[in-house]
Amino acid sequence: MKKYSDNLLTLLLAAILAAGMFIAFLLNDNRHLHHIDHMYIISLLFIAFGLFVLKLYRDNENKKLTSVLSLVETIGSMGSFEWNSRDGKFYFSTLAASRLDLPPNRRVGMEEFLDKVAEHDRTAVSGAFLLDCSVNKEEINLTFETAENRRLIKLTAVPVIYREGYVSGIKGIMEDITEQVKIERERDMLFLLSRDGIAILDMDTYFKDVNGAYEAMTGYGRDELLKMSCLELTHKDDIPATVAMMKTLVETGYCDRFEKRCIRKDGTYINVQMNLILLPNGTIMITTRDISDIMEYQQKLRRNEQNLRQLFEVSPIPMCLTDGKGKPILLNKMFTDIFGYDIHDLNTSSAWWKLAFPNEQYRIISRERWKKYTVKIAAGETPQPIQATVTCKSGAKREIVFLYSVMEDVGIIAFYDITDRVAAENRLQEYISIVDDNVLILRTGNKAEILTVSNAFCRLSGYTREELIGKPAMILNHEDFLESVQPVIMETIYSGKPWSGEIKKVNKNGEEFWVQSVIQPVFENGIRMGFVSVSTDITDKKRIEVLSVTDKLTGIYNRIRLDEVLSTEYVRFKRHGLVYSLIMFDIDFFKKVNDTYGHLVGDEVLKSLAQLIKTSIRESDVFGRWGGEEFLIVCCGTDADGAYNLASKLRRKVELFEFPSVDRLTCSFGVAQIDAAGTDDMVKRADDALYRAKQGGRNRVEK
């Protein structure tokens, strides 16, 4: 029934009702028709009711898009757009327009839109709109790259079906996924480099991501894990210790070598050792290694002395049996393969220590730790295994975890090689150190008191970490920022939302600097614990922005800035009809000043004139050096008469001003008002008026 239009449905409905009324009339007024069954009327009424319901359904069908797009637009990171098939024009929301470097609040054609799409993606984007969606009425789901700033944009859209069944337009959303893709690629590389299981958790201990090693370790697939909390994989007896560890992690930012039992999907559990770190974005990275083999071997050796020889020989872990005095009596094959020593090299109880620990001081410390460890084992305790750096016969260094057990008078030592894991941990620590030294990170409590701060931030602000900890974060903000931007930031982050933007700050020496910041609330179990700020130093960028539009000699705007203002004001004039005028002036007989007093005095005259004019105009007026001794004033919101009056006032001020090292000078002024002819024509008219002022005797104002 969808092929019928709403108009046709309405006509059918009206026709059926009319037929019913006609039959009813015949039944009431024509006796010879009384034999007609009243069921005909009832049938016609049922058909009419069905068509009426169908019409309501089709009226509501095209309204679904509006609520969906409205919801998406409120998310904040996605922009919406509409395309009208009649004129082929797009309308982009402000956010969507900024993603494509298009001017906001203006309709653009398909060609202008495609110019913002990278050349290699234009065919696919054009085909999706003009064929797939407009003709075939299919949804659009694609990703393309922008032409200018090479951003990745994810676009989703659906056709808008008009009443007659044709596509009247397209509505959709677009999202900038550039940073997301970049982060995902870097994360994937880190995942691929590690043979250990790696998982990312949120502050509520729910999985955000896992690598393949973690999936294999737990037996769960990635999609299953993303719906779970890590506490669901924890043995019930280990949950209290895990919760306590998470609290320590939030306080310190890291936790090393935490051990617990992990429940696999098949119901079995494994012993794991984890290293955890709190990332700047408020998530937790966990590196997990299955140490079940070590624990299993230790327990089996204690429980089953009869199977010791078999386990000893086939063990993938280097193992050694010692007598009551600690002298090695038997080594397994893996021990010799890893360390290179045989039983003849270790013919005394002290030989192992001298060979494996050639540094005397380190040997003394390691041997003392070993003695304390073995005493606790003999007492029936289960102390933390010892980790040490062992020197092999080849001279190579290996990071080893020592596990010890005793059966009667025989000691059993297992050497678990964690060299690769330690190397990975060191790389991770290097990464953390790099972040600390190069990323501006500031963490505060709920009252905005500083809790932690990175070395990079200390270096930029000039404060030491000790000087900042406990102080309010506002002490770093510039007074201009405190009045204008800070109230907006506080309202945003205290409502649980992130804020991003530029912040003007002051260092310890009172010098200004600028940062681009993202401030994110940090939650634990649904409770806000504080805030984390990650920033980038943009001071040089700000300085370059100022220098690029400033005349070096006079300190006022240069021609680049004047051109920008003229262009902006003309757009406002065309769109809203806001008039503005132009005053062009120069110094009369300025060449004579240079010839008589020299160019240095001439430069001082230009600077003095610039300061005189700058202090004599409104803040809304834009004043700059047009070139040489010529200057320009853009009088925003002012017609030609107003500009003429201002120019006359300035002429008198210049005439009465005493310039350094020279007699009094005068200026000639030309005034023009914007019209439909455009900016270039207005500048020419002002220049012509200036020329007439010169021809009329100078020290005049013409328009």
Side-chain angles (χ1 to χ4, degrees), residues 210-376:
V210 295
N211 68 349
Y214 198 92
E215 293 180 63
M217 184 184 302
T218 62
Y220 287 97
R222 182 176 183 276
D223 293 339
E224 295 174 297
L225 288 169
L226 295 185
K227 300 175 183 178
M228 302 172 67
S229 163
C230 73
L231 294 179
E232 297 178 54
L233 303 182
T234 304
H235 192 281
K236 64 179 182 179
D237 295 337
D238 295 337
I239 289 180
T242 303
V243 172
M245 178 274 297
M246 293 296 291
K247 293 181 179 179
T248 302
L249 173 67
V250 172
E251 295 173 357
T252 63
Y254 66 94
C255 182
D256 290 338
R257 300 183 180 89
F258 176 76
E259 294 185 3
K260 69 171 187 177
R261 286 165 290 182
C262 178
I263 303 174
R264 290 172 50 82
K265 184 177 182 179
D266 59 8
T268 61
Y269 69 85
I270 55 176
N271 293 284
V272 296
Q273 185 177 81
M274 303 190 305
N275 293 306
L276 303 93
I277 182 170
L278 185 63
L279 299 177
N281 63 0
T283 58
I284 302 168
M285 177 185 288
I286 301 179
T287 304
T288 307
R289 173 165 288 191
D290 183 359
I291 60 170
S292 299
D293 290 343
I294 301 174
M295 306 302 292
E296 180 180 354
Y297 280 124
Q298 187 178 34
Q299 293 171 2
K300 284 184 178 180
L301 288 173
R302 289 178 175 175
R303 290 196 306 264
N304 195 351
E305 187 176 1
Q306 295 178 356
N307 296 328
L308 177 60
R309 173 68 66 173
Q310 181 181 1
L311 292 173
F312 184 81
E313 290 298 334
V314 301
S315 173
I317 300 173
M319 300 187 71
C320 171
L321 300 184
T322 64
D323 60 17
K325 297 181 180 181
K327 176 185 175 181
I329 57 177
L330 189 63
L331 309 175
N332 71 348
K333 182 178 181 298
M334 188 58 67
F335 183 97
T336 303
D337 291 343
I338 295 294
F339 300 115
Y341 302 115
D342 58 28
I343 195 63
H344 302 291
D345 297 319
L346 310 178
N347 54 6
T348 65
S349 58
S350 61
W352 161 254
W353 294 103
K354 290 181 180 180
L355 293 173
F357 301 88
N359 182 281
E360 183 177 1
Q361 185 176 2
Y362 186 61
R363 179 168 66 247
I364 293 172
I365 294 173
S366 300
R367 197 165 188 176
E368 186 62 28
R369 291 172 59 209
W370 174 256
K371 288 180 180 179
K372 292 180 180 179
Y373 174 71
T374 56
V375 168
K376 291 181 179 180

Side-chain angles (χ1 to χ4, degrees), residues 18-305:
M21 295 174 64
F22 179 74
I23 294 174
F25 172 79
L26 293 178
L27 289 174
N28 291 328
D29 298 324
N30 296 279
R31 296 179 181 179
H32 62 280
L33 295 177
H34 281 178
H35 64 278
I36 297 178
D37 196 340
H38 283 77
M39 289 303 295
Y40 286 107
I41 298 177
I42 296 175
S43 299
L44 289 174
L45 290 176
F46 269 111
I47 293 173
F49 178 77
L51 290 174
F52 178 74
V53 171
L54 179 59
K55 182 177 184 300
L56 290 178
Y57 170 76
R58 288 184 50 80
D59 281 340
N60 291 327
E61 196 169 20
N62 282 332
K63 295 181 181 178
K64 296 178 181 178
L65 289 173
T66 302
S67 60
V68 174
L69 290 177
S70 176
L71 175 62
V72 170
E73 190 73 2
T74 61
I75 295 175
S77 64
M78 299 182 184
S80 64
F81 68 89
E82 296 182 10
W83 179 74
N84 191 307
S85 64
R86 294 182 180 271
D87 59 4
K89 297 287 187 179
F90 285 89
Y91 178 82
F92 295 94
S93 68
T94 301
L95 183 58
S98 67
R99 296 285 189 251
L100 299 172
D101 289 332
L102 286 168
N105 303 320
R106 183 169 71 83
R107 302 184 72 84
V108 298
M110 177 66 74
E111 184 176 351
E112 185 175 355
F113 165 62
L114 291 176
D115 285 342
K116 299 298 181 179
V117 178
E119 186 174 356
H120 57 81
D121 286 333
R122 288 175 186 168
T123 301
V125 174
S126 175
F129 276 92
L130 301 179
L131 179 62
D132 297 343
C133 197
S134 299
V135 177
N136 299 332
K137 304 178 184 179
E138 299 174 354
E139 293 186 3
I140 301 176
N141 288 285
L142 56 83
T143 301
F144 66 89
E145 186 178 40
T146 60
E148 295 181 5
N149 51 20
R150 298 300 180 186
R151 308 294 292 179
L152 288 177
I153 303 298
K154 181 179 180 181
L155 185 146
T156 304
V158 294
V160 178
I161 310 299
Y162 197 64
R163 293 178 176 179
E164 282 75 18
Y166 70 88
V167 176
S168 64
I170 298 173
K171 292 186 178 182
I173 57 175
M174 54 177 58
E175 179 184 9
D176 186 345
I177 61 172
T178 307
E179 295 301 323
Q180 174 185 341
V181 171
K182 180 180 178 182
I183 292 172
E184 289 176 354
R185 289 173 179 171
E186 292 175 351
R187 180 204 63 198
D188 292 343
M189 288 181 62
L190 178 61
F191 282 13
L192 292 174
L193 289 174
S194 176
R195 292 181 295 177
D196 294 330
I198 299 179
I200 305 296
L201 307 179
D202 61 21
M203 296 302 294
D204 295 326
T205 73
Y206 279 86
F207 289 99
K208 303 284 287 183
D209 206 353
V210 295
N211 68 349
Y214 198 92
E215 293 180 63
M217 184 184 302
T218 62
Y220 287 97
R222 182 176 183 276
D223 293 339
E224 295 174 297
L225 288 169
L226 295 185
K227 300 175 183 178
M228 302 172 67
S229 163
C230 73
L231 294 179
E232 297 178 54
L233 303 182
T234 304
H235 192 281
K236 64 179 182 179
D237 295 337
D238 295 337
I239 289 180
T242 303
V243 172
M245 178 274 297
M246 293 296 291
K247 293 181 179 179
T248 302
L249 173 67
V250 172
E251 295 173 357
T252 63
Y254 66 94
C255 182
D256 290 338
R257 300 183 180 89
F258 176 76
E259 294 185 3
K260 69 171 187 177
R261 286 165 290 182
C262 178
I263 303 174
R264 290 172 50 82
K265 184 177 182 179
D266 59 8
T268 61
Y269 69 85
I270 55 176
N271 293 284
V272 296
Q273 185 177 81
M274 303 190 305
N275 293 306
L276 303 93
I277 182 170
L278 185 63
L279 299 177
N281 63 0
T283 58
I284 302 168
M285 177 185 288
I286 301 179
T287 304
T288 307
R289 173 165 288 191
D290 183 359
I291 60 170
S292 299
D293 290 343
I294 301 174
M295 306 302 292
E296 180 180 354
Y297 280 124
Q298 187 178 34
Q299 293 171 2
K300 284 184 178 180
L301 288 173
R302 289 178 175 175
R303 290 196 306 264
N304 195 351
E305 187 176 1

Side-chain angles (χ1 to χ4, degrees), residues 343-504:
I343 195 63
H344 302 291
D345 297 319
L346 310 178
N347 54 6
T348 65
S349 58
S350 61
W352 161 254
W353 294 103
K354 290 181 180 180
L355 293 173
F357 301 88
N359 182 281
E360 183 177 1
Q361 185 176 2
Y362 186 61
R363 179 168 66 247
I364 293 172
I365 294 173
S366 300
R367 197 165 188 176
E368 186 62 28
R369 291 172 59 209
W370 174 256
K371 288 180 180 179
K372 292 180 180 179
Y373 174 71
T374 56
V375 168
K376 291 181 179 180
I377 292 294
E381 301 179 20
T382 308
Q384 186 75 14
I386 294 176
Q387 180 179 335
T389 303
V390 172
T391 302
C392 302
K393 193 171 185 177
S394 64
K397 305 290 185 181
R398 309 294 295 180
E399 286 294 323
I400 302 297
V401 171
F402 297 79
L403 297 176
Y404 180 68
S405 182
V406 179
M407 288 186 178
E408 295 183 354
D409 59 347
V410 177
I412 306 169
I413 307 174
F415 305 83
Y416 190 70
D417 188 352
I418 60 169
T419 305
D420 294 339
R421 189 187 76 185
V422 170
E425 291 173 352
N426 290 338
R427 288 195 297 271
L428 183 59
Q429 290 301 320
E430 290 174 1
Y431 169 77
I432 295 171
S433 178
I434 291 172
V435 170
D436 189 56
D437 286 337
N438 295 278
V439 180
L440 307 176
I441 301 175
L442 185 74
R443 181 175 179 186
T444 67
N446 280 322
K447 296 182 179 180
E449 72 280 10
I450 299 175
L451 302 179
T452 59
V453 62
S454 67
N455 287 334
F457 196 99
C458 291
R459 189 165 57 250
L460 180 62
S461 66
Y463 291 95
T464 64
R465 185 178 273 109
E466 292 72 21
E467 290 174 323
L468 291 175
I469 299 299
K471 299 294 191 303
M474 284 76 75
I475 65 171
L476 299 168
N477 295 337
H478 193 276
E479 59 183 2
D480 295 342
F481 171 83
L482 291 174
E483 297 176 359
S484 58
V485 182
Q486 182 154 314
V488 177
I489 295 178
M490 302 302 287
E491 181 181 355
T492 301
I493 62 177
Y494 274 99
S495 66
K497 301 175 183 177
W499 179 91
S500 63
E502 296 180 351
I503 301 177
K504 187 178 183 181

